[in-house]
Amino acid sequence: EAGVTQFPSHSVIEKGQTVTLRCDPISGHDNLYWYRRVMGKEIKFLLHFVKESKQDESGMPNNRFLAERTGGTYSTLKVQPAELEDSGVYFCASSQYDTQYFGPGTRLTVL
Amino acid sequence: DQQVKQNSPSLSVQEGRISILNCDYTNSMFDYFLWYKKYPAEGPTFLISISSIKDKNEDGRFTVFLNKSAKHLSLHIVPSQPGDSAVYFCAAMGGGSNYKLTFGKGTLLTVNP
């Protein structure tokens, strides 16, 4: 069974540009989550989808971040415009019940 | 305000010995706890979990203990192997429909041959 996949693995952009991260959850998992780890800090929750609906987006930093999950399958996280403090590793996870399975992450560097 | 704390940034043990990683939490609404292992440049890998209705869960070399009154949990690895060297994260989940994980900062475990 394929795990959670994320694309790209790395992205380097300049401040003010737009970046879109993609996550493909484990097949059949209704729950999809986005997390972020900024250097030296703990992994922090961003938002939670149940199928295509946003269940909890309390961790989204501001309105420069937009997450979508059209059709309840893969999800995208767009940052527009990117700022320096958005640099970090963005993890996606999926679950059917309590245990969340994580993807390898996308390392975003904003210069 | 950190609700999940891993107070030891690092731990070093000898191969074959026991590794004990500790985690404390402050939010009494947490009712499900997980341990993840993370290698560099990879995502966290699920190891073991425990529900608040239990005080112990065992899976092979890994055992998690939960002390609700002290709001403390620990992960025991016996025997430790060099391949166990990684960062270990403690995570907690709240009750009801709240599925978001709150993580500690992690403990770097080094198992020396």
PDB file of all heavy atoms in Angstrom, chain B residues 39-75:
ATOM      1  N   TYR B  39      13.664  10.191  10.955  1.00  0.00           N
ATOM      2  CA  TYR B  39      15.024  10.252  10.432  1.00  0.00           C
ATOM      3  C   TYR B  39      15.169  11.557   9.653  1.00  0.00           C
ATOM      4  O   TYR B  39      14.176  12.119   9.175  1.00  0.00           O
ATOM      5  CB  TYR B  39      15.306   9.069   9.505  1.00  0.00           C
ATOM      6  CG  TYR B  39      15.308   7.727  10.191  1.00  0.00           C
ATOM      7  CD1 TYR B  39      14.365   6.748   9.838  1.00  0.00           C
ATOM      8  CD2 TYR B  39      16.241   7.407  11.176  1.00  0.00           C
ATOM      9  CE1 TYR B  39      14.361   5.515  10.454  1.00  0.00           C
ATOM     10  CE2 TYR B  39      16.234   6.177  11.790  1.00  0.00           C
ATOM     11  CZ  TYR B  39      15.296   5.236  11.428  1.00  0.00           C
ATOM     12  OH  TYR B  39      15.288   4.002  12.034  1.00  0.00           O
ATOM     13  N   PRO B  40      16.406  12.042   9.484  1.00  0.00           N
ATOM     14  CA  PRO B  40      16.627  13.279   8.713  1.00  0.00           C
ATOM     15  C   PRO B  40      16.036  13.184   7.307  1.00  0.00           C
ATOM     16  O   PRO B  40      16.121  12.144   6.664  1.00  0.00           O
ATOM     17  CB  PRO B  40      18.152  13.389   8.674  1.00  0.00           C
ATOM     18  CG  PRO B  40      18.618  12.647   9.877  1.00  0.00           C
ATOM     19  CD  PRO B  40      17.656  11.518  10.048  1.00  0.00           C
ATOM     20  N   ALA B  41      15.433  14.257   6.855  1.00  0.00           N
ATOM     21  CA  ALA B  41      14.878  14.387   5.501  1.00  0.00           C
ATOM     22  C   ALA B  41      13.718  13.416   5.243  1.00  0.00           C
ATOM     23  O   ALA B  41      13.371  13.166   4.076  1.00  0.00           O
ATOM     24  CB  ALA B  41      15.952  14.204   4.436  1.00  0.00           C
ATOM     25  N   GLU B  42      13.133  12.857   6.302  1.00  0.00           N
ATOM     26  CA  GLU B  42      11.954  12.009   6.138  1.00  0.00           C
ATOM     27  C   GLU B  42      10.830  12.556   7.018  1.00  0.00           C
ATOM     28  O   GLU B  42      11.059  13.373   7.909  1.00  0.00           O
ATOM     29  CB  GLU B  42      12.260  10.565   6.539  1.00  0.00           C
ATOM     30  CG  GLU B  42      13.248   9.872   5.616  1.00  0.00           C
ATOM     31  CD  GLU B  42      13.430   8.411   5.988  1.00  0.00           C
ATOM     32  OE1 GLU B  42      12.652   7.887   6.815  1.00  0.00           O
ATOM     33  OE2 GLU B  42      14.366   7.792   5.450  1.00  0.00           O
ATOM     34  N   GLY B  43       9.609  12.086   6.759  1.00  0.00           N
ATOM     35  CA  GLY B  43       8.504  12.466   7.616  1.00  0.00           C
ATOM     36  C   GLY B  43       8.476  11.615   8.870  1.00  0.00           C
ATOM     37  O   GLY B  43       9.129  10.577   8.947  1.00  0.00           O
ATOM     38  N   PRO B  44       7.735  12.053   9.889  1.00  0.00           N
ATOM     39  CA  PRO B  44       7.597  11.246  11.104  1.00  0.00           C
ATOM     40  C   PRO B  44       6.938   9.900  10.788  1.00  0.00           C
ATOM     41  O   PRO B  44       5.981   9.842  10.026  1.00  0.00           O
ATOM     42  CB  PRO B  44       6.680  12.095  11.986  1.00  0.00           C
ATOM     43  CG  PRO B  44       6.802  13.492  11.454  1.00  0.00           C
ATOM     44  CD  PRO B  44       7.014  13.335   9.988  1.00  0.00           C
ATOM     45  N   THR B  45       7.476   8.852  11.386  1.00  0.00           N
ATOM     46  CA  THR B  45       6.942   7.499  11.208  1.00  0.00           C
ATOM     47  C   THR B  45       6.270   7.066  12.490  1.00  0.00           C
ATOM     48  O   THR B  45       6.880   7.106  13.559  1.00  0.00           O
ATOM     49  CB  THR B  45       8.075   6.507  10.861  1.00  0.00           C
ATOM     50  OG1 THR B  45       8.723   6.938   9.669  1.00  0.00           O
ATOM     51  CG2 THR B  45       7.526   5.107  10.656  1.00  0.00           C
ATOM     52  N   PHE B  46       5.019   6.620  12.384  1.00  0.00           N
ATOM     53  CA  PHE B  46       4.275   6.197  13.571  1.00  0.00           C
ATOM     54  C   PHE B  46       4.936   4.982  14.202  1.00  0.00           C
ATOM     55  O   PHE B  46       5.309   4.024  13.530  1.00  0.00           O
ATOM     56  CB  PHE B  46       2.830   5.862  13.185  1.00  0.00           C
ATOM     57  CG  PHE B  46       2.059   5.188  14.283  1.00  0.00           C
ATOM     58  CD1 PHE B  46       1.670   5.907  15.400  1.00  0.00           C
ATOM     59  CD2 PHE B  46       1.750   3.843  14.200  1.00  0.00           C
ATOM     60  CE1 PHE B  46       0.974   5.289  16.422  1.00  0.00           C
ATOM     61  CE2 PHE B  46       1.052   3.218  15.215  1.00  0.00           C
ATOM     62  CZ  PHE B  46       0.667   3.941  16.325  1.00  0.00           C
ATOM     63  N   LEU B  47       5.063   5.029  15.545  1.00  0.00           N
ATOM     64  CA  LEU B  47       5.656   3.920  16.285  1.00  0.00           C
ATOM     65  C   LEU B  47       4.628   3.168  17.110  1.00  0.00           C
ATOM     66  O   LEU B  47       4.439   1.974  16.959  1.00  0.00           O
ATOM     67  CB  LEU B  47       6.716   4.463  17.246  1.00  0.00           C
ATOM     68  CG  LEU B  47       8.170   4.435  16.839  1.00  0.00           C
ATOM     69  CD1 LEU B  47       9.008   5.005  17.989  1.00  0.00           C
ATOM     70  CD2 LEU B  47       8.620   3.039  16.483  1.00  0.00           C
ATOM     71  N   ILE B  48       4.013   3.879  18.017  1.00  0.00           N
ATOM     72  CA  ILE B  48       3.121   3.245  18.970  1.00  0.00           C
ATOM     73  C   ILE B  48       2.218   4.311  19.570  1.00  0.00           C
ATOM     74  O   ILE B  48       2.579   5.485  19.602  1.00  0.00           O
ATOM     75  CB  ILE B  48       3.937   2.514  20.074  1.00  0.00           C
ATOM     76  CG1 ILE B  48       3.054   1.602  20.924  1.00  0.00           C
ATOM     77  CG2 ILE B  48       4.711   3.515  20.940  1.00  0.00           C
ATOM     78  CD1 ILE B  48       3.857   0.660  21.832  1.00  0.00           C
ATOM     79  N   SER B  49       1.049   3.896  20.028  1.00  0.00           N
ATOM     80  CA  SER B  49       0.116   4.847  20.610  1.00  0.00           C
ATOM     81  C   SER B  49      -0.512   4.258  21.865  1.00  0.00           C
ATOM     82  O   SER B  49      -0.394   3.053  22.132  1.00  0.00           O
ATOM     83  CB  SER B  49      -0.975   5.210  19.601  1.00  0.00           C
ATOM     84  OG  SER B  49      -1.715   4.049  19.231  1.00  0.00           O
ATOM     85  N   ILE B  50      -1.199   5.128  22.608  1.00  0.00           N
ATOM     86  CA  ILE B  50      -1.903   4.668  23.794  1.00  0.00           C
ATOM     87  C   ILE B  50      -3.110   5.559  24.033  1.00  0.00           C
ATOM     88  O   ILE B  50      -3.029   6.788  23.894  1.00  0.00           O
ATOM     89  CB  ILE B  50      -0.963   4.634  25.027  1.00  0.00           C
ATOM     90  CG1 ILE B  50      -1.672   3.972  26.222  1.00  0.00           C
ATOM     91  CG2 ILE B  50      -0.456   6.029  25.389  1.00  0.00           C
ATOM     92  CD1 ILE B  50      -0.713   3.586  27.342  1.00  0.00           C
ATOM     93  N   SER B  51      -4.197   4.937  24.388  1.00  0.00           N
ATOM     94  CA  SER B  51      -5.402   5.665  24.746  1.00  0.00           C
ATOM     95  C   SER B  51      -5.364   5.973  26.236  1.00  0.00           C
ATOM     96  O   SER B  51      -4.737   5.252  27.012  1.00  0.00           O
ATOM     97  CB  SER B  51      -6.624   4.805  24.420  1.00  0.00           C
ATOM     98  OG  SER B  51      -7.772   5.305  25.055  1.00  0.00           O
ATOM     99  N   SER B  52      -6.067   7.036  26.621  1.00  0.00           N
ATOM    100  CA  SER B  52      -6.048   7.439  28.030  1.00  0.00           C
ATOM    101  C   SER B  52      -6.757   6.442  28.948  1.00  0.00           C
ATOM    102  O   SER B  52      -6.663   6.558  30.170  1.00  0.00           O
ATOM    103  CB  SER B  52      -6.680   8.819  28.183  1.00  0.00           C
ATOM    104  OG  SER B  52      -8.011   8.798  27.726  1.00  0.00           O
ATOM    105  N   ILE B  53      -7.455   5.477  28.379  1.00  0.00           N
ATOM    106  CA  ILE B  53      -8.117   4.480  29.231  1.00  0.00           C
ATOM    107  C   ILE B  53      -7.159   3.351  29.617  1.00  0.00           C
ATOM    108  O   ILE B  53      -7.507   2.472  30.393  1.00  0.00           O
ATOM    109  CB  ILE B  53      -9.376   3.884  28.566  1.00  0.00           C
ATOM    110  CG1 ILE B  53      -9.021   3.158  27.268  1.00  0.00           C
ATOM    111  CG2 ILE B  53     -10.406   4.971  28.309  1.00  0.00           C
ATOM    112  CD1 ILE B  53     -10.206   2.401  26.668  1.00  0.00           C
ATOM    113  N   LYS B  54      -5.956   3.383  29.051  1.00  0.00           N
ATOM    114  CA  LYS B  54      -4.951   2.371  29.364  1.00  0.00           C
ATOM    115  C   LYS B  54      -3.770   3.012  30.066  1.00  0.00           C
ATOM    116  O   LYS B  54      -3.589   4.232  30.010  1.00  0.00           O
ATOM    117  CB  LYS B  54      -4.455   1.689  28.078  1.00  0.00           C
ATOM    118  CG  LYS B  54      -5.508   0.884  27.342  1.00  0.00           C
ATOM    119  CD  LYS B  54      -4.872   0.145  26.193  1.00  0.00           C
ATOM    120  CE  LYS B  54      -5.866  -0.807  25.555  1.00  0.00           C
ATOM    121  NZ  LYS B  54      -5.247  -1.588  24.459  1.00  0.00           N
ATOM    122  N   ASP B  55      -2.950   2.198  30.714  1.00  0.00           N
ATOM    123  CA  ASP B  55      -1.723   2.753  31.290  1.00  0.00           C
ATOM    124  C   ASP B  55      -0.467   2.145  30.663  1.00  0.00           C
ATOM    125  O   ASP B  55       0.646   2.577  30.971  1.00  0.00           O
ATOM    126  CB  ASP B  55      -1.691   2.574  32.813  1.00  0.00           C
ATOM    127  CG  ASP B  55      -1.886   1.135  33.236  1.00  0.00           C
ATOM    128  OD1 ASP B  55      -1.725   0.231  32.392  1.00  0.00           O
ATOM    129  OD2 ASP B  55      -2.223   0.902  34.419  1.00  0.00           O
ATOM    130  N   LYS B  56      -0.667   1.183  29.763  1.00  0.00           N
ATOM    131  CA  LYS B  56       0.490   0.565  29.128  1.00  0.00           C
ATOM    132  C   LYS B  56       0.069  -0.022  27.786  1.00  0.00           C
ATOM    133  O   LYS B  56      -1.025  -0.576  27.654  1.00  0.00           O
ATOM    134  CB  LYS B  56       1.032  -0.541  30.039  1.00  0.00           C
ATOM    135  CG  LYS B  56       2.190  -1.344  29.467  1.00  0.00           C
ATOM    136  CD  LYS B  56       2.584  -2.449  30.438  1.00  0.00           C
ATOM    137  CE  LYS B  56       3.622  -3.383  29.851  1.00  0.00           C
ATOM    138  NZ  LYS B  56       3.990  -4.474  30.789  1.00  0.00           N
ATOM    139  N   ASN B  57       0.963   0.110  26.819  1.00  0.00           N
ATOM    140  CA  ASN B  57       0.759  -0.553  25.538  1.00  0.00           C
ATOM    141  C   ASN B  57       2.110  -1.018  25.028  1.00  0.00           C
ATOM    142  O   ASN B  57       3.092  -0.278  25.083  1.00  0.00           O
ATOM    143  CB  ASN B  57       0.108   0.393  24.516  1.00  0.00           C
ATOM    144  CG  ASN B  57      -0.304  -0.328  23.248  1.00  0.00           C
ATOM    145  OD1 ASN B  57      -0.555  -1.535  23.266  1.00  0.00           O
ATOM    146  ND2 ASN B  57      -0.381   0.392  22.148  1.00  0.00           N
ATOM    147  N   GLU B  58       2.155  -2.247  24.543  1.00  0.00           N
ATOM    148  CA  GLU B  58       3.414  -2.857  24.159  1.00  0.00           C
ATOM    149  C   GLU B  58       3.347  -3.350  22.718  1.00  0.00           C
ATOM    150  O   GLU B  58       2.336  -3.900  22.283  1.00  0.00           O
ATOM    151  CB  GLU B  58       3.678  -4.044  25.098  1.00  0.00           C
ATOM    152  CG  GLU B  58       5.054  -4.622  25.056  1.00  0.00           C
ATOM    153  CD  GLU B  58       5.280  -5.631  26.177  1.00  0.00           C
ATOM    154  OE1 GLU B  58       4.392  -5.766  27.047  1.00  0.00           O
ATOM    155  OE2 GLU B  58       6.312  -6.293  26.165  1.00  0.00           O
ATOM    156  N   ASP B  59       4.449  -3.139  22.004  1.00  0.00           N
ATOM    157  CA  ASP B  59       4.544  -3.634  20.624  1.00  0.00           C
ATOM    158  C   ASP B  59       5.992  -3.993  20.362  1.00  0.00           C
ATOM    159  O   ASP B  59       6.817  -3.131  20.067  1.00  0.00           O
ATOM    160  CB  ASP B  59       4.060  -2.566  19.642  1.00  0.00           C
ATOM    161  CG  ASP B  59       4.066  -3.066  18.200  1.00  0.00           C
ATOM    162  OD1 ASP B  59       4.400  -4.244  17.959  1.00  0.00           O
ATOM    163  OD2 ASP B  59       3.725  -2.271  17.302  1.00  0.00           O
ATOM    164  N   GLY B  60       6.291  -5.260  20.505  1.00  0.00           N
ATOM    165  CA  GLY B  60       7.662  -5.714  20.280  1.00  0.00           C
ATOM    166  C   GLY B  60       8.621  -5.107  21.282  1.00  0.00           C
ATOM    167  O   GLY B  60       8.436  -5.204  22.489  1.00  0.00           O
ATOM    168  N   ARG B  61       9.630  -4.414  20.765  1.00  0.00           N
ATOM    169  CA  ARG B  61      10.633  -3.803  21.652  1.00  0.00           C
ATOM    170  C   ARG B  61      10.165  -2.481  22.256  1.00  0.00           C
ATOM    171  O   ARG B  61      10.869  -1.895  23.073  1.00  0.00           O
ATOM    172  CB  ARG B  61      11.920  -3.553  20.854  1.00  0.00           C
ATOM    173  CG  ARG B  61      12.599  -4.822  20.343  1.00  0.00           C
ATOM    174  CD  ARG B  61      13.945  -4.510  19.687  1.00  0.00           C
ATOM    175  NE  ARG B  61      13.820  -3.666  18.521  1.00  0.00           N
ATOM    176  CZ  ARG B  61      14.309  -2.425  18.441  1.00  0.00           C
ATOM    177  NH1 ARG B  61      14.953  -1.885  19.478  1.00  0.00           N
ATOM    178  NH2 ARG B  61      14.169  -1.726  17.328  1.00  0.00           N
ATOM    179  N   PHE B  62       9.012  -1.998  21.824  1.00  0.00           N
ATOM    180  CA  PHE B  62       8.532  -0.685  22.242  1.00  0.00           C
ATOM    181  C   PHE B  62       7.356  -0.809  23.218  1.00  0.00           C
ATOM    182  O   PHE B  62       6.407  -1.544  22.954  1.00  0.00           O
ATOM    183  CB  PHE B  62       8.096   0.136  21.025  1.00  0.00           C
ATOM    184  CG  PHE B  62       9.189   0.319  19.997  1.00  0.00           C
ATOM    185  CD1 PHE B  62       9.344  -0.578  18.949  1.00  0.00           C
ATOM    186  CD2 PHE B  62      10.067   1.376  20.105  1.00  0.00           C
ATOM    187  CE1 PHE B  62      10.358  -0.416  18.014  1.00  0.00           C
ATOM    188  CE2 PHE B  62      11.090   1.553  19.173  1.00  0.00           C
ATOM    189  CZ  PHE B  62      11.231   0.648  18.132  1.00  0.00           C
ATOM    190  N   THR B  63       7.469  -0.086  24.324  1.00  0.00           N
ATOM    191  CA  THR B  63       6.381  -0.030  25.302  1.00  0.00           C
ATOM    192  C   THR B  63       6.145   1.417  25.680  1.00  0.00           C
ATOM    193  O   THR B  63       7.105   2.154  25.942  1.00  0.00           O
ATOM    194  CB  THR B  63       6.723  -0.839  26.571  1.00  0.00           C
ATOM    195  OG1 THR B  63       7.017  -2.184  26.203  1.00  0.00           O
ATOM    196  CG2 THR B  63       5.552  -0.823  27.542  1.00  0.00           C
ATOM    197  N   VAL B  64       4.886   1.815  25.688  1.00  0.00           N
ATOM    198  CA  VAL B  64       4.551   3.161  26.140  1.00  0.00           C
ATOM    199  C   VAL B  64       3.766   3.045  27.442  1.00  0.00           C
ATOM    200  O   VAL B  64       2.870   2.205  27.571  1.00  0.00           O
ATOM    201  CB  VAL B  64       3.774   3.961  25.061  1.00  0.00           C
ATOM    202  CG1 VAL B  64       2.510   3.242  24.629  1.00  0.00           C
ATOM    203  CG2 VAL B  64       3.451   5.353  25.556  1.00  0.00           C
ATOM    204  N   PHE B  65       4.154   3.864  28.401  1.00  0.00           N
ATOM    205  CA  PHE B  65       3.483   3.920  29.698  1.00  0.00           C
ATOM    206  C   PHE B  65       2.826   5.294  29.838  1.00  0.00           C
ATOM    207  O   PHE B  65       3.413   6.311  29.485  1.00  0.00           O
ATOM    208  CB  PHE B  65       4.502   3.743  30.833  1.00  0.00           C
ATOM    209  CG  PHE B  65       5.147   2.394  30.857  1.00  0.00           C
ATOM    210  CD1 PHE B  65       6.354   2.178  30.186  1.00  0.00           C
ATOM    211  CD2 PHE B  65       4.574   1.335  31.548  1.00  0.00           C
ATOM    212  CE1 PHE B  65       6.970   0.935  30.203  1.00  0.00           C
ATOM    213  CE2 PHE B  65       5.182   0.093  31.564  1.00  0.00           C
ATOM    214  CZ  PHE B  65       6.378  -0.116  30.891  1.00  0.00           C
ATOM    215  N   LEU B  66       1.619   5.290  30.392  1.00  0.00           N
ATOM    216  CA  LEU B  66       0.900   6.538  30.606  1.00  0.00           C
ATOM    217  C   LEU B  66       0.511   6.666  32.074  1.00  0.00           C
ATOM    218  O   LEU B  66      -0.111   5.765  32.639  1.00  0.00           O
ATOM    219  CB  LEU B  66      -0.359   6.599  29.729  1.00  0.00           C
ATOM    220  CG  LEU B  66      -1.294   7.789  29.935  1.00  0.00           C
ATOM    221  CD1 LEU B  66      -0.579   9.097  29.594  1.00  0.00           C
ATOM    222  CD2 LEU B  66      -2.566   7.642  29.105  1.00  0.00           C
ATOM    223  N   ASN B  67       0.874   7.788  32.677  1.00  0.00           N
ATOM    224  CA  ASN B  67       0.486   8.106  34.046  1.00  0.00           C
ATOM    225  C   ASN B  67      -0.394   9.351  33.981  1.00  0.00           C
ATOM    226  O   ASN B  67       0.105  10.481  33.903  1.00  0.00           O
ATOM    227  CB  ASN B  67       1.735   8.360  34.901  1.00  0.00           C
ATOM    228  CG  ASN B  67       1.402   8.640  36.357  1.00  0.00           C
ATOM    229  OD1 ASN B  67       0.321   9.122  36.681  1.00  0.00           O
ATOM    230  ND2 ASN B  67       2.331   8.348  37.237  1.00  0.00           N
ATOM    231  N   LYS B  68      -1.698   9.127  33.971  1.00  0.00           N
ATOM    232  CA  LYS B  68      -2.629  10.242  33.784  1.00  0.00           C
ATOM    233  C   LYS B  68      -2.583  11.243  34.914  1.00  0.00           C
ATOM    234  O   LYS B  68      -2.696  12.452  34.706  1.00  0.00           O
ATOM    235  CB  LYS B  68      -4.062   9.721  33.608  1.00  0.00           C
ATOM    236  CG  LYS B  68      -4.373   9.222  32.225  1.00  0.00           C
ATOM    237  CD  LYS B  68      -5.789   8.762  32.122  1.00  0.00           C
ATOM    238  CE  LYS B  68      -6.794   9.881  32.364  1.00  0.00           C
ATOM    239  NZ  LYS B  68      -8.194   9.408  32.236  1.00  0.00           N
ATOM    240  N   SER B  69      -2.438  10.751  36.137  1.00  0.00           N
ATOM    241  CA  SER B  69      -2.465  11.672  37.273  1.00  0.00           C
ATOM    242  C   SER B  69      -1.274  12.613  37.232  1.00  0.00           C
ATOM    243  O   SER B  69      -1.364  13.769  37.632  1.00  0.00           O
ATOM    244  CB  SER B  69      -2.491  10.901  38.588  1.00  0.00           C
ATOM    245  OG  SER B  69      -1.346  10.077  38.693  1.00  0.00           O
ATOM    246  N   ALA B  70      -0.153  12.110  36.726  1.00  0.00           N
ATOM    247  CA  ALA B  70       1.043  12.952  36.620  1.00  0.00           C
ATOM    248  C   ALA B  70       1.135  13.645  35.274  1.00  0.00           C
ATOM    249  O   ALA B  70       2.060  14.432  35.040  1.00  0.00           O
ATOM    250  CB  ALA B  70       2.299  12.101  36.830  1.00  0.00           C
ATOM    251  N   LYS B  71       0.213  13.327  34.358  1.00  0.00           N
ATOM    252  CA  LYS B  71       0.245  13.854  32.987  1.00  0.00           C
ATOM    253  C   LYS B  71       1.619  13.593  32.374  1.00  0.00           C
ATOM    254  O   LYS B  71       2.301  14.496  31.857  1.00  0.00           O
ATOM    255  CB  LYS B  71      -0.088  15.345  32.952  1.00  0.00           C
ATOM    256  CG  LYS B  71      -1.522  15.675  33.351  1.00  0.00           C
ATOM    257  CD  LYS B  71      -1.858  17.132  33.013  1.00  0.00           C
ATOM    258  CE  LYS B  71      -3.291  17.470  33.316  1.00  0.00           C
ATOM    259  NZ  LYS B  71      -3.595  17.488  34.766  1.00  0.00           N
ATOM    260  N   HIS B  72       2.004  12.347  32.416  1.00  0.00           N
ATOM    261  CA  HIS B  72       3.337  11.950  31.973  1.00  0.00           C
ATOM    262  C   HIS B  72       3.253  10.644  31.195  1.00  0.00           C
ATOM    263  O   HIS B  72       2.519   9.726  31.558  1.00  0.00           O
ATOM    264  CB  HIS B  72       4.250  11.758  33.194  1.00  0.00           C
ATOM    265  CG  HIS B  72       5.610  11.251  32.858  1.00  0.00           C
ATOM    266  ND1 HIS B  72       6.636  12.082  32.455  1.00  0.00           N
ATOM    267  CD2 HIS B  72       6.116   9.988  32.836  1.00  0.00           C
ATOM    268  CE1 HIS B  72       7.716  11.364  32.213  1.00  0.00           C
ATOM    269  NE2 HIS B  72       7.434  10.085  32.436  1.00  0.00           N
ATOM    270  N   LEU B  73       4.000  10.579  30.090  1.00  0.00           N
ATOM    271  CA  LEU B  73       4.136   9.306  29.407  1.00  0.00           C
ATOM    272  C   LEU B  73       5.598   9.075  29.045  1.00  0.00           C
ATOM    273  O   LEU B  73       6.398  10.019  29.008  1.00  0.00           O
ATOM    274  CB  LEU B  73       3.238   9.187  28.169  1.00  0.00           C
ATOM    275  CG  LEU B  73       3.370  10.116  26.984  1.00  0.00           C
ATOM    276  CD1 LEU B  73       2.811   9.436  25.753  1.00  0.00           C
ATOM    277  CD2 LEU B  73       2.592  11.385  27.220  1.00  0.00           C
ATOM    278  N   SER B  74       5.903   7.805  28.868  1.00  0.00           N
ATOM    279  CA  SER B  74       7.278   7.461  28.530  1.00  0.00           C
ATOM    280  C   SER B  74       7.284   6.334  27.495  1.00  0.00           C
ATOM    281  O   SER B  74       6.354   5.527  27.428  1.00  0.00           O
ATOM    282  CB  SER B  74       8.066   7.045  29.770  1.00  0.00           C
ATOM    283  OG  SER B  74       7.480   5.923  30.383  1.00  0.00           O
ATOM    284  N   LEU B  75       8.320   6.339  26.696  1.00  0.00           N
ATOM    285  CA  LEU B  75       8.533   5.293  25.687  1.00  0.00           C
ATOM    286  C   LEU B  75       9.784   4.523  26.077  1.00  0.00           C
ATOM    287  O   LEU B  75      10.847   5.129  26.264  1.00  0.00           O
ATOM    288  CB  LEU B  75       8.716   5.920  24.301  1.00  0.00           C
ATOM    289  CG  LEU B  75       9.090   4.957  23.170  1.00  0.00           C
ATOM    290  CD1 LEU B  75       7.928   4.017  22.873  1.00  0.00           C
ATOM    291  CD2 LEU B  75       9.495   5.731  21.919  1.00  0.00           C
TER     292      LEU B  75
END
